[in-house]
Amino acid sequence: MTESIFDPGVLPLQKAVIYGPVLSRRLGYSLGINILSPHIKICSFDCVYCQYGKTELKTQNPDPASLYSVNEIIKEVEKGLMTARKLDFITFSGNGEPTLHPQIAEIVTRVKKLRDQLRPDVKLAMFSNVSELQREDVRHAIGMIDQPILKLDGGDEETIQRINRPVEGINLTDIVSGIRKFDGITLQTLFLGGKLSNSDEETVEKWIILIQEIHPKHVQIYSTDRAVAEEGVEIVPPYRLKEIAEKTTARTGVTVTAYWPK
Ligand code: SF4
């Protein structure tokens, strides 16, 4: 049984480079970094569950002039690191897909250097939808991140197209070949119920088969815990997430952790 979402709505966009620290289920105290734009959500996907609502600019090539500059980002991150009290992670996330920034490698290099100088105990994380892993600079950037968390919301093409609605031309084969370029990776999967479900037995089975093939170090599964703009999206309850996690671990030997709001 799934729980309905009664109050559709979305989070406002992050209005600055730095946000938080927020207390996150998976990362503890996390200082968010939005390296794209404060005005518009820019992403190569348009996920039906996105907390920021519909992707306003769906592209793999945003105009660099519309994005924060490297210097603006570094200045704000430095301030954030000097003022945040309790911090476990600095997390690249924000108003879209961070790896769409054409200077992502330079940004990560400089943020890492700042982290080493100012908060060496804090780790770097990045949430990525893996659409850009064909770019060498993106692979280099992700290679510098302590905990990259890569998205895989289904084990078959139809589910990826239905849930993630990527830019034309991006397909599951590309996504999987990108993920496979990394060893010991953490994957994340968001399960949904309702009309757009990817949590039914048949769809989960295809996903488990792919998890077995990729054999990541860790898989984090969860459901949306806030209202989303899209109709037909329902929350998957904790017992079903737990069931999927246990079944996947038993079948694949991969550690799968289910998260839900406390
Ligand atoms: S990849 Fe992330 S930012 Fe982009 S639409 Fe999906 S959830 Fe939103």
Side-chain angles (χ1 to χ4, degrees):
M1 213 173 84
T2 52
E3 181 186 337
S4 291
I5 297 168
F6 291 109
D7 179 23
V10 294
L11 285 183
L13 290 176
Q14 300 300 338
K15 293 290 176 217
V17 172
I18 292 298
Y19 56 97
V22 291
L23 183 55
S24 123
R25 274 179 279 174
R26 292 180 281 168
L27 298 172
Y29 287 93
S30 162
L31 185 69
I33 312 182
N34 166 43
I35 63 173
L36 297 176
S37 164
H39 306 300
I40 183 170
K41 180 186 147 199
I42 305 172
C43 195
S44 44
F45 285 10
D46 182 18
C47 303
V48 295
Y49 56 75
C50 186
Q51 63 182 358
Y52 294 117
K54 275 202 83 59
T55 298
E56 294 159 278
L57 180 58
K58 188 155 102 173
T59 181
Q60 289 181 281
N61 300 294
D63 175 5
S66 68
L67 309 177
Y68 285 117
S69 72
V70 179
N71 285 339
E72 278 175 299
I73 294 165
I74 296 305
K75 204 170 125 205
E76 293 307 312
V77 172
E78 182 171 13
K79 271 196 242 162
L81 289 181
M82 289 175 70
T83 51
R85 280 209 196 148
K86 195 166 163 38
L87 212 49
D88 300 305
F89 275 91
I90 303 161
T91 307
F92 291 86
S93 184
N95 301 339
E97 169 56 34
T99 62
L100 294 181
H101 198 299
Q103 286 160 294
I104 184 67
E106 184 184 348
I107 294 165
V108 174
T109 303
R110 290 182 60 184
V111 168
K112 189 168 187 271
K113 202 166 155 200
L114 270 182
R115 183 277 312 267
D116 292 347
Q117 285 165 357
L118 301 174
R119 306 291 286 259
D121 52 324
V122 172
K123 289 194 162 37
L124 297 182
M126 181 187 285
F127 288 103
S128 173
N129 68 16
V130 303
S131 65
E132 306 309 304
L133 289 188
Q134 79 286 359
R135 279 170 45 198
E136 204 277 328
D137 62 318
V138 169
R139 296 199 298 277
H140 177 60
I142 290 182
M144 287 186 273
I145 300 285
D146 301 303
Q147 187 161 357
I149 302 174
L150 307 184
K151 186 184 290 299
L152 182 68
D153 287 336
D156 63 290
E157 189 64 47
E158 190 276 323
T159 302
I160 295 295
Q161 297 299 329
R162 179 166 46 83
I163 303 279
N164 301 124
R165 302 186 297 198
V167 161
E168 205 181 326
I170 295 178
N171 56 45
L172 181 63
T173 311
D174 297 339
I175 291 171
V176 172
S177 85
I179 290 171
R180 282 198 160 132
K181 294 193 196 304
F182 295 93
D183 286 329
I185 205 71
T186 297
L187 294 181
Q188 64 165 345
T189 301
L190 191 142
F191 283 108
L192 301 170
K195 269 201 305 213
L196 295 168
S197 174
N198 60 347
S199 59
D200 58 280
E201 282 303 326
E202 195 186 329
T203 311
V204 169
E205 180 60 27
K206 292 175 190 161
W207 174 83
I208 292 176
I209 290 169
L210 194 54
I211 295 296
Q212 189 156 30
E213 276 174 40
I214 298 172
H215 213 82
K217 184 171 172 209
H218 186 203
V219 182
Q220 302 178 341
I221 69 170
Y222 57 110
S223 189
T224 178
D225 58 352
R226 51 172 64 84
V228 298
E230 212 59 46
E231 271 185 39
V233 173
E234 291 181 3
I235 293 169
V236 176
Y239 80 84
R240 177 62 179 147
L241 292 174
K242 233 176 129 203
E243 208 172 76
I244 295 172
E246 285 168 4
K247 185 173 174 184
T248 311
T249 298
R251 290 262 303 277
T252 66
V254 172
T255 304
V256 182
T257 312
Y259 297 86
W260 55 83
K262 297 286 175 237

